[in-house]
Every structure is written in structure tokens, then in C-alpha cells.
Amino acid sequence: MSLSKKRKVDTECRVFNKKWNNDYFFIEQSNVALCVICTEKVAVMKEYNIGRHYKSKHASTYNELSGKLRSDKFEILKQNLLAQQSIFTKRSRQNESLVKASFQVARTLAIAGKPFTDGQIVKE
């Protein structure tokens, strides 16, 4: 009796199709299909899975949109999602800058051998 190999979905090189943007309101982000309406991820990047998600959750609301109106709605939803995600990256960059500045001040004070209360050395 021979053992058959199981098919691994992750190794099948599924690629995102650009027409799914307008058809199903999905974008590709970090090699994952992401719904711009509800921000859910679809595990396997296949048209059947993406279409099933759209039909079961969003078709009743967005099926009446077509043509330019549909593509405009997709762009608005996409921009809102990206703006929402950029808030977190901006905040983390801001925190990194604050930590770097704090280390530089501490280093300057340590080299000069001055206490933290000495404001004159920090101004320099």
C-alpha cells in the first residue's frame, strides 16, 4: 500500500488577481488577501474563497454598485483602511525618535559627568 502525499495549500503559489479589487473589495497586503470592508483576512488566496466571503457578508450591501461608482467606493474604503493602519506606524516612529533623543541626552550627561538636573549641558 503506497502512501499518497497530502497537498499543501501554502506551497501552491497562489497569486492575487487585481480584478478582485473591484469585484470583491479585496487587496493584497503582506501576501494575504484582506477585505477592505471588514478587514478580515482570507486564509487561502483563491477566487472561490474570496468570492464566498464577499457573497456571504457584503453582497447585499455592495451588489447594487457598478462601474465608476463601485471603483470609487473601493478606493474610498482602501484609503480609509490604509489611513487607519498608518496611524500605528506613525506612532511607533514617533516613539523611536523620543527614545533616541533620550539616549543622546543621557549619553551627553554621562560623558560630561553632570547630574540630570544640570540643564545647561543639555542646552548645548
Side-chain angles (χ1 to χ4, degrees), residues 11-72:
T11 60
E12 290 185 5
C13 301
R14 305 269 183 201
V15 290
F16 187 80
N17 191 339
K18 292 290 184 191
K19 78 174 190 120
W20 298 342
N21 289 342
N22 213 19
D23 291 351
Y24 305 116
F25 290 92
F26 268 82
I27 59 171
E28 181 183 16
Q29 193 171 56
S30 303
N31 294 327
V32 175
L34 180 70
C35 178
V36 295
I37 300 168
C38 64
T39 67
E40 281 188 27
K41 297 176 183 176
V42 174
V44 181
M45 210 178 313
K46 289 185 350 187
E47 186 170 14
Y48 175 77
N49 292 352
I50 291 171
R52 183 180 63 208
H53 170 88
Y54 174 77
K55 287 173 188 161
S56 66
K57 297 189 178 188
H58 310 298
S60 61
T61 308
Y62 294 96
N63 262 353
E64 69 255 3
L65 299 175
S66 63
K68 177 100 172 97
L69 192 61
R70 187 175 183 91
S71 61
D72 288 346

Side-chain angles (χ1 to χ4, degrees), residues 2 6 8 10 12 26 36 40 43 48 55 62-63 74 76 81 90 93 110 113 116:
S2 67
K6 286 189 176 183
K8 300 235 183 210
D10 294 337
E12 290 185 5
F26 268 82
V36 295
E40 281 188 27
Y48 175 77
K55 287 173 188 161
Y62 294 96
N63 262 353
F74 169 74
I76 290 169
L81 176 66
K90 284 180 187 175
R93 283 191 211 124
F116 285 109

Side-chain angles (χ1 to χ4, degrees), residues 96-107:
E96 285 177 21
S97 299
L98 292 172
V99 170
K100 285 179 183 178
S102 174
F103 281 136
Q104 288 175 348
V105 169
R107 183 174 182 267

